[in-house]
């Protein structure tokens, strides 16, 4: 059973243009939603974890700027701007968000971004 | 082995062989998770080991965790072509996963 839906699945991004990504949670038993990026060398890096509707966070990393928003209990968004290198963004969900080192993270299918 | 600043490692073996991948970490951890990522897919958890277990088995998978040397290993016995994937070790600090650099495994049929 698919827990997460991501769209778009891929996007060509003109240099200097921002892109908006969506992630939809299909099972409310896993309410802790996060974004991870994977660079072209396959390195995975945590970006954000947002639990409650209305939560927002920003972050700048080498190669891209990010703005994440928890829109509703089932929708997470990510705006990617100033991207200079391609990457894949994964949405994840988990049953537990605090103090549980055993909680499994379930990954979505990912959105692949390529810079034009 | 994974973690730190190393680049993605690559291993190429024949179907039926056994393989072991290693992971070392700098910060004490009580839990190591191993994820597998097949081409075009997101990572998926395949085995989790806790510090009080030392060894954990799941089918053809075997994970170990040595807290004294701060290292973990993942072994796959009797590999299949379908085991071809990138394998990551990860530490879970609450809601955040910190991943190793990964081992790319190619199993030739």
């Amino acid at each position: 059973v698919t827990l997460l839906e991501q769209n778009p699945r891929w996007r060509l991004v003109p240099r200097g243009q921002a892109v908006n990504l969506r992630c939809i949670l299909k099972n409310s038993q896993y309410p802790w939603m996060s974004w991870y990026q994977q660079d072209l060398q396959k390195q995975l890096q945590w970006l954000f974890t947002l639990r409650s509707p209305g939560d927002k966070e920003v972050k700048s990393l080498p190669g891209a700027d990010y703005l994440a928003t928890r829109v509703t209990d089932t929708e997470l968004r990510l705006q990617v701007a100033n991207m200079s290198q391609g990457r894949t963004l994964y949405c994840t969900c988990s049953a537990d968000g605090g103090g549980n080192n055993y909680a499994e993270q379930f990954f979505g299918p990912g959105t692949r971004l390529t810079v034009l | 082995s994974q973690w730190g600043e190393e680049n993605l490692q690559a291993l190429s073996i024949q179907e039926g062989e056994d393989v072991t991948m290693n992971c070392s970490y700098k910060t004490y951890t009580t839990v190591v998770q191993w994820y597998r990522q097949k081409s075009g897919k997101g990572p998926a958890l395949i085995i989790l080991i806790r510090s009080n277990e030392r060894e954990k088995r799941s089918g053809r998978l075997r994970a170990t965790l040595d807290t004294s040397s701060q290292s973990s290993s993942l072994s796959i016995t009797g590999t299949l072509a379908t085991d071809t994937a990138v394998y990551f070790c990860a530490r879970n600090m609450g809601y955040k996963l910190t991943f190793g650099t990964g081992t790319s495994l190619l199993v030739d049929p």
Side-chain angles (χ1 to χ4, degrees), chain A residues 36 38 90 97 101-103 105, chain B residues 31 37 41 92 94-95 97 101:
Chain A
Y36 286 78
Q38 186 169 41
Y90 289 101
N101 290 339
Y102 313 127
Q105 299 243 359
Chain B
V31 178
Q37 184 178 27
K41 306 288 186 183
N92 191 335
Y95 50 76
L97 278 175
T101 50

Side-chain angles (χ1 to χ4, degrees), chain A residues 9 32 34 36 38 41-44 46 49 90 96-105 107-109, chain B residues 8 30-31 33 35 37 40-45 48 50 86 88 92-97 99-101:
Chain A
R9 292 296 313 278
W32 290 85
S34 302
Y36 286 78
Q38 186 169 41
Q41 289 71 45
K42 298 287 187 185
Q43 183 60 49
L44 284 158
W46 171 82
T49 299
Y90 289 101
D96 195 314
N100 181 355
N101 290 339
Y102 313 127
E104 178 177 359
Q105 299 243 359
F107 282 73
Chain B
L8 176 72
T30 58
V31 178
Q33 301 185 11
Y35 284 76
Q37 184 178 27
K41 306 288 186 183
L45 179 67
L48 179 154
R50 308 175 189 194
V86 180
F88 295 95
N92 191 335
M93 306 300 291
Y95 50 76
K96 171 184 173 180
L97 278 175
F99 285 88
T101 50

Side-chain angles (χ1 to χ4, degrees), chain B residues 19-83:
Chain B
V19 66
T20 296
M21 291 164 266
N22 297 299
C23 172
S24 59
Y25 43 95
K26 297 177 182 178
T27 306
Y28 180 79
T29 186
T30 58
V31 178
V32 173
Q33 301 185 11
W34 284 89
Y35 284 76
R36 177 175 63 196
Q37 184 178 27
K38 295 200 172 184
S39 180
K41 306 288 186 183
L45 179 67
I46 53 174
I47 197 165
L48 179 154
I49 183 165
R50 308 175 189 194
S51 57
N52 62 353
E53 294 180 306
R54 291 189 62 89
E55 177 182 295
K56 183 84 168 282
R57 291 178 184 267
S58 177
R60 294 181 295 107
L61 304 177
R62 172 179 171 264
T64 66
L65 177 58
D66 185 340
T67 53
S68 62
S69 64
Q70 296 188 166
S71 63
S72 177
S73 70
L74 175 69
S75 299
I76 307 175
T77 56
T79 55
L80 304 171
T82 52
D83 292 325

Side-chain angles (χ1 to χ4, degrees), chain A residues 48-114:
Chain A
F48 308 101
T49 299
L50 299 177
R51 174 61 183 88
S52 302
D55 287 350
K56 284 190 177 184
E57 287 200 39
V58 295
K59 182 172 286 189
S60 289
L61 291 178
D65 297 327
Y66 297 103
L67 166 62
T69 306
R70 185 71 181 260
V71 181
T72 66
D73 284 330
T74 58
E75 184 175 347
L76 185 68
R77 292 184 186 172
L78 183 70
Q79 183 182 83
V80 185
N82 300 318
M83 192 174 69
S84 59
Q85 294 178 331
R87 61 202 63 216
T88 300
L89 283 305
Y90 289 101
C91 173
T92 75
C93 63
S94 179
D96 195 314
N100 181 355
N101 290 339
Y102 313 127
E104 178 177 359
Q105 299 243 359
F106 296 91
F107 282 73
T111 296
R112 183 173 179 177
L113 302 179
T114 301

